[in-house]
Amino acid sequence: MADSKRKALEEKEKGNAAYKQKNFDVALQHYDAALELDPTNITLLTNKGAVFYEQGKLDECIKTCEEAVDKGREHRADYKLIAKALSRIATAYLKKDDLNAALNYYNKSLTEHRQPDIVKKAQEVQQKIKEKELLAYINPELSLQEKEKGNQAFKEGNFPLAVQHYTEAIKRNPGDAKIYSNRAACYTKLMEFAMALKDSEDCIRLDPKFIKGYLRKGAVLLAMKEPTKATIAYQRALDLDTNNSEALDGYRKALMAESEDPEAVKQKAMSNPEVQQILSDPAMQMILAQMSKDPKAAREHLKNPDVAAKIEKLMECGIVSLR
């Protein structure tokens, strides 16, 4: 018996060598010879499955690996060997573009032995299934119908219903920037500002030249008390249309709100290159540190015209103040 297994192992090694050289017919001959000597070795069947896979004989690969699984369970083979046979079946189904069957067998393999690379493959197949389902769901005509229903609900002031219709419209046509803009308007009415901001940004990402995306974003940021960011959004809108009344009005409102908010003014000032240069100067950093600890030190530093000009600039921006 031991002699048969030894000879079977020799045939297996010859088969592996032929497989590496892509001499698949010879590899099959050696694996079959090894199976006659040791019919309980399921690795030989799994190796045959690998040969059939390389030959493009996917159904034979699946059948052979299923035989390996059955025989492995019958003879209480190592669970890792059974897991390998199951993952090979999954790979064959993946090659056949049968994603659901592939995922099923990857999951079966993982119940036998949780191999990290198989976990990753299962996740990738799951993602492909999801993407395929989303693509199959796309229908621009049905999307337009849902968008029109959303528009009607919006006019009637039924914003939750409008959101439902716009969401369905997006699922049916996720590349239409205008639907995101419409849903952003709904979320703004519902005071769901974080979601409105995301939709505005998605709208801009899909169509950077669609002005309403920037208008929605500006309105949301104003509602979120982010006037500095709102001015930037409205400025982008004005870059597209200098005479747009909504953009001009929004920009003015944002500037007014900004002037009433010292923190907003300070935030905007910090983005000024001149201010950045002053604050990054090591000498000025030391001077400002001294002034914060000893207000009297300011009088000495102000005697230096260059330093005085820089401090005055920071005072104008609201970054420092003299007490």
Side-chain angles (χ1 to χ4, degrees), residues 255-307:
L255 284 176
M256 287 175 64
E258 191 178 52
S259 65
E260 294 168 2
D261 183 355
E263 279 303 312
V265 174
K266 187 174 178 180
Q267 183 183 354
K268 188 172 183 180
M270 294 292 280
S271 65
N272 184 314
E274 186 181 352
V275 172
Q276 288 177 356
Q277 188 176 7
I278 293 171
L279 294 175
S280 63
D281 182 350
M284 283 301 300
Q285 289 174 6
M286 186 176 68
I287 290 168
L288 292 171
Q290 288 176 352
M291 288 170 59
S292 66
K293 293 177 183 176
D294 180 12
K296 294 179 182 178
R299 285 197 291 270
E300 290 300 316
H301 290 302
L302 288 171
K303 292 177 183 178
N304 182 324
D306 184 46
V307 172

Side-chain angles (χ1 to χ4, degrees), residues 2 12-13 24 31 36 51-52 74 81 86-87 108 124 150 159 161 168-169 218 229 237 250 257 273 288 290 315:
K12 176 189 171 187
E13 293 303 321
F24 299 127
Y31 290 144
E36 287 183 16
V51 172
F52 290 136
E74 181 185 346
L81 298 179
L86 288 165
S87 68
K108 284 183 178 181
E124 288 172 352
F159 304 120
L161 181 60
E168 182 64 18
K229 293 179 181 178
L288 292 171
Q290 288 176 352
M315 288 174 64

Side-chain angles (χ1 to χ4, degrees), residues 158-211:
N158 193 341
F159 304 120
L161 181 60
V163 166
Q164 289 179 27
H165 287 302
Y166 288 141
T167 299
E168 182 64 18
I170 287 170
K171 288 179 182 177
R172 291 290 187 180
N173 191 5
D176 188 340
K178 293 178 181 178
I179 312 172
Y180 291 91
S181 169
N182 289 9
R183 192 171 68 174
C186 282
Y187 281 135
T188 303
K189 292 287 187 182
L190 293 167
M191 300 183 74
E192 295 282 358
F193 299 130
M195 299 174 82
L197 182 60
K198 184 180 183 304
D199 272 356
S200 300
E201 289 173 341
D202 282 338
C203 174
I204 292 167
R205 175 180 55 79
L206 289 167
D207 188 355
K209 293 185 178 180
F210 183 51
I211 195 169

Side-chain angles (χ1 to χ4, degrees), residues 106-129:
Y106 276 135
N107 286 334
K108 284 183 178 181
S109 175
L110 290 170
T111 60
E112 298 291 334
H113 176 57
R114 196 165 182 82
Q115 190 76 7
D117 64 318
I118 302 302
V119 171
K120 185 179 178 183
K121 287 179 181 178
Q123 290 171 343
E124 288 172 352
V125 172
Q126 200 162 23
Q127 183 60 30
K128 285 182 179 179
I129 290 172

Side-chain angles (χ1 to χ4, degrees), residues 129-145:
I129 290 172
K130 187 177 179 181
E131 289 170 0
K132 197 171 183 179
E133 288 173 348
L134 288 172
L135 285 172
Y137 200 70
I138 290 174
N139 186 319
E141 187 177 336
L142 291 178
S143 174
L144 183 59
Q145 292 176 17

Side-chain angles (χ1 to χ4, degrees), residues 231 234 245-258:
T231 57
Y234 283 122
S245 58
E246 189 176 344
L248 287 166
D249 184 52
Y251 188 77
R252 280 193 291 268
K253 285 180 180 177
L255 284 176
M256 287 175 64
E258 191 178 52

